[in-house]
Amino acid sequence: MTVSSAAAAATGTASPTAPPPGGARASGALLVVGFVLLSLNARVAFGQAGPLAPVAGFSSGTVTLLGLLPPLCMGLFAPLGAFARRRYGAERGLFLASAVLVVGALVRMAGPIGLIAGTVLVSLATAVVNVLIPVWVHARFAPRRVGTMMGVYALSMGIGSAVVAALVVPVARAGGGAWQPAIGIAVVPALLALIGIAPQAARRRTPPATTTSGSTGETTSTSTDGAASGTAGRRPVARTALGWSLTAFFGLQTLMFYTTLAWLPSVLVASGASRTAAGTYQALFILGIAAGGFAAPALAGRRTDQRPHIAAALAVPMVGFAGLLLAPAAAPALWAAVLGAGLGAAQSLAGVLYVRRGTDPQHVTALSAMAQTCGYLVAATGPALAAWLHATTGSWQPLLLAFLGVLPVNAVLSMRAGHDPR
């Protein structure tokens, strides 16, 4: 709300610039459509290399590098999200990131070198989107809608990735085995996301208005990001228990998420499943990620205390890892689905925690950037460490035991992130 509209509301008169009810509904519809289109595109490019590798003849080194780059780059470039919010605002930052993502999707079709360089660009853009989405939700949606919208974000990511991953092999085969057209599928959702966010980026960004709190005398500034952005008296998030608790929650669960995503089929094959069956169980794992990713924030966003949801999101994958350790052949489909639901829930729950614990857009940005910078850098080591541990011991059991030990430790470290101390 601008200063003029606030004054009009206080005096009971209509603001001359206030949109009519129909305009407000249209604006709200554009907001939701833009949000969904952006969400559908957020992970599309990362799910193409695995299914495409056997058809395109990618070497194992290429597949490993393409799997390593996204979490590594998302960690390295997450601080750019905070810079983009300060310099351009959340909406324009998201628009610019979407434009970079389109460029990256195009570059990925330009041969092997282009595939690597384009993946770096796509990962850079996605890092900015990851940081700014919670800020955008905090600013543009009512508190009661926060959980639902973060759930929509997670569900849309899963749907977009699944659809494109399912299309890459048929498109490559239709093109005579050429991988470039299959990789180029990602350009379509990238363009749709850019178009969808454009109306939000076009919103007029007013300069911050300085106000003084009558009770404390503290000077703050407000902006179209939607909340006070004054930071007087607030410590940097890296010096707070909240910042490190959020970082521990996101970092450790993301480590397990990316490691399981990379190696679950191998774990299942080692336990006696065929490669075809392992692929089916991997699909169930991904479906579980989408289901848990929607349900957890939708439930947690309605509450002021998310500690029970953190505990549940970390307890569910314990069942899956324990099942793989103790009875892998008994119900592999169940273990895969349970793992997906738990790890997916924790992935999306982090977004609710940034929004709920942040006091204003700048604080939400700082929490999100810190947790994702550290978390993705930690996660990038997971698949390689898992491969080393398996090569050293000749078994996947030490990895499963390690994860069963990490989960309760993470539960303890994460409790501060789940509530606001009284």
Side-chain angles (χ1 to χ4, degrees), residues 82-144:
F83 169 79
R85 194 208 73 87
R86 289 194 305 269
R87 181 66 178 83
Y88 304 108
E91 284 89 353
R92 293 183 183 181
L94 287 168
F95 178 80
L96 291 172
S98 298
V100 172
L101 204 149
V102 171
V103 174
L106 290 169
V107 171
R108 293 177 88 231
M109 294 188 288
I113 300 300
L115 181 59
I116 301 300
T119 298
V120 171
L121 285 175
V122 168
S123 301
L124 182 156
T126 304
V128 174
V129 171
N130 285 342
V131 172
L132 292 184
I133 280 288
V135 182
W136 195 29
V137 170
H138 179 276
R140 299 297 302 278
F141 294 96
R144 69 182 184 278

Side-chain angles (χ1 to χ4, degrees), residues 21 40 45 50 56 58 92 105 107 111 129 136 143 149 188 190-191 199 203 225 228 295 312 320 329 354 375 385:
L40 282 169
F58 291 154
R92 293 183 183 181
V107 171
V129 171
W136 195 29
M149 297 315 296
V188 176
L191 284 171
R203 292 174 68 243
D225 277 338
Y354 306 145
L385 288 174

Side-chain angles (χ1 to χ4, degrees), residues 25-202:
R25 285 193 293 270
S27 177
L30 282 174
L31 174 64
V32 173
V33 169
F35 181 81
V36 171
L37 289 174
L38 187 65
S39 302
L40 282 169
N41 185 61
R43 293 291 188 278
V44 161
F46 301 155
Q48 293 179 295
L52 195 56
V55 179
F58 291 154
S59 68
S60 59
T62 298
V63 175
T64 300
L65 182 60
L66 291 174
L68 172 67
L69 283 175
L72 178 63
C73 291
M74 285 191 287
L76 291 174
F77 295 127
L80 289 179
F83 169 79
R85 194 208 73 87
R86 289 194 305 269
R87 181 66 178 83
Y88 304 108
E91 284 89 353
R92 293 183 183 181
L94 287 168
F95 178 80
L96 291 172
S98 298
V100 172
L101 204 149
V102 171
V103 174
L106 290 169
V107 171
R108 293 177 88 231
M109 294 188 288
I113 300 300
L115 181 59
I116 301 300
T119 298
V120 171
L121 285 175
V122 168
S123 301
L124 182 156
T126 304
V128 174
V129 171
N130 285 342
V131 172
L132 292 184
I133 280 288
V135 182
W136 195 29
V137 170
H138 179 276
R140 299 297 302 278
F141 294 96
R144 69 182 184 278
R145 303 291 186 195
V146 165
T148 300
M149 297 315 296
M150 293 307 299
V152 167
Y153 176 55
L155 181 62
S156 298
M157 280 195 297
I159 292 172
S161 298
V163 169
V164 171
L167 288 175
V168 291
V169 173
V171 170
R173 286 176 175 164
W179 58 265
Q180 286 88 345
I183 287 291
I185 295 173
V187 176
V188 176
L191 284 171
L192 290 175
L194 184 65
I195 294 168
I197 194 64
Q200 308 306 319

Side-chain angles (χ1 to χ4, degrees), residues 150-151 154-155 157 249 253 256-257 285-297 313 316-317 336-351:
M150 293 307 299
L155 181 62
M157 280 195 297
F249 174 71
Q253 72 84 24
M256 291 182 284
F257 177 87
F285 173 70
I286 293 172
L287 287 175
I289 291 171
F294 176 77
V316 170
V338 168
L339 275 175
L343 294 174
Q347 275 277 299
S348 58
L349 182 58

Side-chain angles (χ1 to χ4, degrees), residues 261-292:
L261 188 64
W263 292 110
L264 178 61
S266 298
V267 174
L268 293 168
V269 168
S271 68
S274 68
R275 292 189 179 277
T276 301
T280 301
Y281 301 146
Q282 179 82 339
L284 290 174
F285 173 70
I286 293 172
L287 287 175
I289 291 171

